[in-house]
C-alpha cells in the first residue's frame, strides 16, 4: 500500500480567559505545532522534536497525540498504523494548550487522510481524549479552540455543544511565559487547588463577567471582552502557583492592557489589548519585566486571535 502523508498546523490556545474556567478558549495566531502523519504497517510510533521535546513521552498511551491516534484507529477500524512526528513550536507545560494542539492536529490529520468527514464537534471529542494523558481530565476548552479557532465557549459537556465566535479585528493579545520548570502533572496540580464550593457572591461576580465576555464577542467589542477578563474563583486559588503573578498583572494593566489573567492552568499570563488604544508589544514587555522583577526570567510576545488547525501539506 502506498504511504499516505498529511501535515497539519495547530495553534496555541489559552483556556479560561478569566471567568470561563473549563468553558472559554481562544486560539492564538502564534506559536503553532506542526504534526506530520504517515501511514505505517501497524501500531502508533511517536517522534517529537522542537520546543521542550525532551519532556514529552514517546509512549503512545502517555502521549496526547498518540492517544488520539490509537482511539481513532480503533473506532474507525482503520487498517493501518501511524507514525506521528510532532514538531513542537508551543512550549509544553506553560498553559498555552501545547498538548491540545498536538491532539487537535492528529484528529484533523486522520480525518483528512482517511476522508472520515467528521464534524468539528466529533474532532473535539477525540482531541479531548488526548488531554487525559497530560491533564488527567477530558476538559475540552483548549482542544475546542485548537480545532475551531478564534473564540469558543462550551455550552454543554454532556452532550458536547460548542459555540464558536469570531474575535474583534482590534483584539490583540500579549503573553508572558516564565522560564520555570513545571512538573509533568502541572495541570492536575493546578486543578487540585480549585475550590469545590463557591460563595454565592463570588459565583455572581464570575457569572456577570463571563456572560459580559460572551456578549462582548457576539458584539465584536474588545473593550467589553478585555475588562471582563477577571476571575474571583479559580485565579485567587492559583495565583501562588505563578511566580510574580501580582507584579505581572499590575504591569500589564499599567502598560495599557484591558484585562490580564493566568493562561489556562498557568504559569503563563495573557492580556487583552485594543490595538486602537494600546500596544500589545509594550504590554508583553511590561509583563516580562513583571516576572523579571520577581526574580524569574520570561519570554513574552504579542499575538492575535488565530484560526483553528488546518492541513498544510499532503
Ligand atoms: N481549563 C483548564 C484548567 C485548562 O484551567 O485547568 C488547562 O489546560
Amino acid at each position: 500500500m502506498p504511504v499516505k502523508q498529511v501535515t497539519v498546523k495547530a495553534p496555541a490556545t489559552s483556556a479560561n480567559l478569566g471567568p470561563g474556567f473549563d468553558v472559554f478558549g481562544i486560539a492564538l495566531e502564534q506559536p503553532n505545532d506542526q504534526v506530520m502523519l504517515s501511514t505505517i504497517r501497524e501500531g502508533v510510533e511517536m517522534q517529537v522534536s522542537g520546543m521542550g521535546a525532551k519532556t514529552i513521552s514517546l509512549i503512545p498511551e502517555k502521549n496526547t497525540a498518540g492517544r488520539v491516534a490509537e482511539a481513532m484507529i480503533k473506532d474507525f477500524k482503520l487498517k493501518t498504523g501511524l507514525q506521528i512526528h510532532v514538531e513542537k513550536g508551543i512550549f509544553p507545560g506553560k498553559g498555552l494548550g501545547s498538548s491540545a494542539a498536538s491532539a487537535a492536529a492528529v484528529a484533523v490529520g486522520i480525518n483528512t487522510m482517511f476522508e472520515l468527514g467528521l464534524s468539528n464537534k466529533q474532532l473535539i471529542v477525540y482531541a479531548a481524549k488526548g488531554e487525559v494523558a497530560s491533564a488527567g481530565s477530558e476538559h475540552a476548552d483548549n482542544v475546542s479552540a485548537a480545532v475551531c479557532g478564534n473564540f469558543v465557549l462550551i455550552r454543554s459537556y454532556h452532550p458536547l455543544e460548542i459555540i464558536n465566535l469570531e474575535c474583534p479585528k482590534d483584539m490583540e493579545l500579549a503573553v508572558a511565559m516564565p522560564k520555570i520548570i513545571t512538573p509533568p502533572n502541572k495541570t492536575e496540580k493546578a486543578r487540585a487547588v480549585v475550590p469545590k464550593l463557591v460563595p454565592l457572591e463570588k459565583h455572581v461576580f464570575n457569572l456577570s463577567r463571563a456572560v459580559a465576555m460572551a456578549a462582548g464577542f457576539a458584539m465584536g467589542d474588545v473593550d467589553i471582552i478585555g475588562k471582563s477578563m477577571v476571575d474571583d474563583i479559580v485565579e485567587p486559588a492559583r495565583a501562588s502557583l505563578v511566580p510574580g503573578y501580582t507584579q505581572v498583572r499590575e504591569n500589564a494593566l499599567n502598560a495599557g492592557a484591558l484585562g490580564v489573567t493566568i493562561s489556562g492552568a498557568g504559569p503563563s499570563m495573557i492580556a487583552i489589548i485594543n490595538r486602537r488604544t494600546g500596544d500589545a508589544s509594550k504590554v508583553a514587555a511590561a509583563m516580562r519585566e513583571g516576572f523579571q522583577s520577581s526574580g524569574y526570567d520570561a519570554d513574552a510576545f504579542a499575538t492575535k486571535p488565530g484560526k483553528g488547525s488546518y492541513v498544510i501539506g499532503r
Side-chain angles (χ1 to χ4, degrees), residues 17 26-27 29 150-152 165-173 212-227 258 272-276 303-306:
L17 297 180
I26 193 166
E29 194 177 70
N150 287 297
F151 173 71
V152 287
L165 295 170
E166 291 290 320
C167 299
K169 284 191 185 45
D170 293 326
M171 182 170 176
E172 293 194 341
L173 302 155
M213 185 178 259
F217 278 103
M219 294 156 73
D221 188 325
V222 64
D223 293 342
I224 292 180
I225 297 167
K227 67 183 186 193
L258 296 162
I272 291 178
I273 298 99
N274 182 338
R275 80 179 162 90
R276 284 180 292 115
T303 187
K304 293 179 187 154

Side-chain angles (χ1 to χ4, degrees), residues 14-16 20-24 95-97 99-100 131 134-135 137 139-142 157 186-188 190-191 194 234 238 263-266:
S14 185
N16 305 337
F21 179 69
D22 279 1
V23 172
F24 291 167
L96 291 173
S99 57
E131 287 291 60
S134 65
S137 69
H139 62 273
D141 41 7
N142 288 105
Y157 267 92
K186 172 223 59 170
T187 302
E188 246 173 304
R191 293 179 79 80
V194 175
V234 179
R238 284 181 168 176
S263 180

Side-chain angles (χ1 to χ4, degrees), residues 268-283:
S268 296
M269 303 271 293
I270 186 164
I272 291 178
I273 298 99
N274 182 338
R275 80 179 162 90
R276 284 180 292 115
T277 51
D279 178 339
S281 302
K282 226 167 97 181
V283 173

Side-chain angles (χ1 to χ4, degrees), residues 99-212:
S99 57
S102 303
V106 169
V108 168
I110 293 178
N111 187 40
T112 304
M113 193 178 241
F114 300 101
E115 296 174 2
L116 300 176
L118 302 180
S119 65
N120 276 354
K121 198 162 89 176
Q122 289 169 299
L123 295 173
I124 291 163
V125 170
Y126 277 104
K129 290 183 192 295
E131 287 291 60
V132 181
S134 65
S137 69
E138 278 192 29
H139 62 273
D141 41 7
N142 288 105
V143 289
S144 299
V147 169
C148 302
N150 287 297
F151 173 71
V152 287
L153 71 86
I154 298 172
R155 199 206 70 77
S156 153
Y157 267 92
H158 305 290
L160 186 71
E161 277 182 39
I162 305 290
I163 296 176
N164 186 202
L165 295 170
E166 291 290 320
C167 299
K169 284 191 185 45
D170 293 326
M171 182 170 176
E172 293 194 341
L173 302 155
V175 177
M177 310 187 295
K179 292 185 186 172
I180 55 169
I181 295 167
T182 49
N185 57 349
K186 172 223 59 170
T187 302
E188 246 173 304
K189 286 193 165 161
R191 293 179 79 80
V193 303
V194 175
K196 302 279 178 291
L197 293 173
V198 176
L200 189 60
E201 64 273 18
K202 285 184 188 287
H203 162 71
V204 171
F205 180 98
N206 266 37
L207 181 63
S208 62
R209 273 49 173 202
V211 293

